[in-house]
């Protein structure tokens, strides 16, 4: 049943808007991808990531949209290719924190970014949550608009805010995601994510997005949420209470 729910969710991602929107799980970025099998690699990454967290999540963190430095190539929201390749260990992030059931693979051409693309938001969010004592399987990251909206004038290696009509197309996916991961607390990074969750009548904590100078306030606000609700309590502790 769990396997079916994840597969159904991944299939739901296939129905993406078409105007200046890239779907990393079902489309090839011909300019920047390493080959034609990259969508399948990114689906495997996402599948492993989701399976690892089924039934264990206490905190869901919802961002705005997939970024070209993050999920565009990794296939996972707020998670960079460089993290999967083991090149973020100095920030306390190991590839095994994301998933350990399969071996990660890069999907971008090495000449584009030799060590793999790195997303500042991804590093800040993962680093903060791990330092607060949360186990990787206790939190799950996603975006209100699950696909990558890019600037058509600047090309695939750019980001833009998704339009209102595009955000509406992402609502069924967001709803399905929250049904896949019912949890104690939901956090929205920024006003767009908060508005999307409000559309679904989800009671979420809206905090500062770490981008554009917001990292310090984000860390302070997420720390208060984790401490207030004691979310970092170990899964083993919970099990002993049953």
């Amino acid at each position: 049943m769990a396997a079916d729910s994840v597969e159904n969710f991944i299939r739901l991602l296939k129905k993406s808007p078409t105007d200046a929107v890239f779907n990393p799980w079902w489309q090839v970025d011909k300019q920047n991808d390493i080959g034609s099998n990259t969508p399948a690699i990114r689906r495997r990454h996402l599948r492993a990531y989701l399976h690892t967290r089924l039934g264990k999540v206490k905190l869901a963190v919802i961002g705005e949209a997939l970024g070209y430095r993050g999920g565009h190539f990794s296939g996972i929201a707020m998670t960079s290719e460089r993290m999967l390749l083991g090149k973020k260990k100095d920030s306390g992030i190991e590839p095994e924190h994301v998933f350990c059931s399969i071996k990660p693979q890069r999907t971008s051409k090495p000449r584009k970014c030799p060590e793999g693309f790195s997303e500042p938001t991804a590093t800040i969010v993962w680093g903060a949550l791990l330092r607060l004592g949360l186990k990787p399987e206790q939190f799950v990251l996603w975006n209100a608009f699950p696909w990558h909206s890019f600037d058509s004038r600047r090309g695939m290696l750019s980001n833009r805010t998704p339009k209102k009509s595009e955000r509406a197309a992402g609502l069924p996916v967001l709803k399905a995601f929250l049904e896949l991961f019912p949890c104690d607390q939901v956090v929205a990074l920024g006003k767009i994510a908060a508005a999307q969750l409000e559309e679904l009548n989800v009671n979420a904590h809206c905090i500062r997005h770490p981008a554009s100078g917001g990292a310090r306030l984000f860390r302070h606000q997420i720390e208060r949420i984790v401490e207030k609700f004691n979310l970092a309590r170990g899964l083993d502790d919970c099990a002993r209470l049953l």
Side-chain angles (χ1 to χ4, degrees):
M1 184 66 71
D4 289 343
S5 63
V6 169
E7 291 306 316
N8 290 339
F9 177 75
I10 292 175
R11 280 195 292 271
L12 189 61
L13 291 167
K14 195 170 186 178
K15 300 176 182 178
S16 56
T18 56
D19 185 22
V21 172
F22 177 67
N23 188 329
W25 308 283
W26 299 99
Q27 293 177 341
V28 176
D29 178 348
K30 294 180 181 179
Q31 291 182 325
N32 303 298
D33 274 353
I34 202 166
S36 60
N37 66 329
T38 50
I41 293 173
R42 292 188 283 257
R43 288 198 301 273
R44 285 199 295 272
H45 287 174
L46 179 60
R47 185 180 295 114
Y49 171 77
L50 297 177
H51 272 296
T52 298
R53 287 157 177 79
L54 283 176
K56 302 171 185 175
V57 169
K58 292 185 173 187
L59 174 70
V61 179
I62 309 299
E64 180 181 302
L66 211 65
Y68 82 88
R69 294 180 179 274
H72 182 113
F73 293 110
S74 72
I76 302 169
M78 287 180 274
T79 302
S80 69
E81 189 175 50
R82 198 171 295 182
M83 287 168 54
L84 294 181
L85 298 175
K87 299 183 183 296
K88 282 293 178 179
K89 295 183 179 183
D90 58 342
S91 298
I93 306 166
E94 302 280 352
E96 295 80 12
H97 288 150
V98 185
F99 55 75
C100 56
S101 56
I102 61 171
K103 183 178 179 180
Q105 295 176 259
R106 76 175 298 153
T107 65
S108 69
K109 293 177 179 177
R111 64 182 176 83
K112 294 287 182 177
C113 196
E115 294 194 336
F117 281 88
S118 178
E119 184 180 67
T121 291
T123 304
I124 293 166
V125 171
W126 274 91
L129 293 173
L130 291 171
R131 278 193 297 273
L132 289 171
L134 283 166
K135 295 181 180 180
E137 64 270 23
Q138 289 180 301
F139 63 87
V140 65
L141 312 177
W142 194 248
N143 288 301
F145 184 73
W147 306 286
H148 173 216
S149 49
F150 61 91
D151 186 332
S152 57
R153 295 166 298 180
R154 296 166 58 201
M156 288 282 196
L157 301 184
S158 65
N159 297 321
R160 67 170 173 84
T161 300
K163 296 178 288 188
K164 189 173 181 179
S165 60
E166 293 170 336
R167 297 200 296 269
L171 280 174
V173 179
L174 181 58
K175 183 175 184 292
F177 177 81
L178 294 172
E179 290 172 350
L180 193 61
F181 293 101
C183 60
D184 298 341
Q185 302 296 326
V186 179
V187 169
L189 297 185
K191 294 180 180 179
I192 288 180
Q196 290 290 90
L197 289 164
E198 189 175 347
E199 286 281 332
L200 298 176
N201 296 314
V202 174
N203 184 20
H205 306 274
C206 181
I207 68 174
R208 179 68 160 85
H209 195 289
S212 304
R216 183 175 180 179
L217 183 54
F218 160 77
R219 291 188 181 102
H220 174 68
Q221 291 176 325
I222 197 68
E223 181 178 6
R224 288 182 63 187
I225 290 170
V226 170
E227 289 181 350
K228 180 178 179 180
F229 296 100
N230 201 20
L231 296 177
R233 184 176 57 193
L235 292 174
D236 294 338
D237 292 341
C238 293
R240 284 195 290 270
L241 295 175
L242 299 177

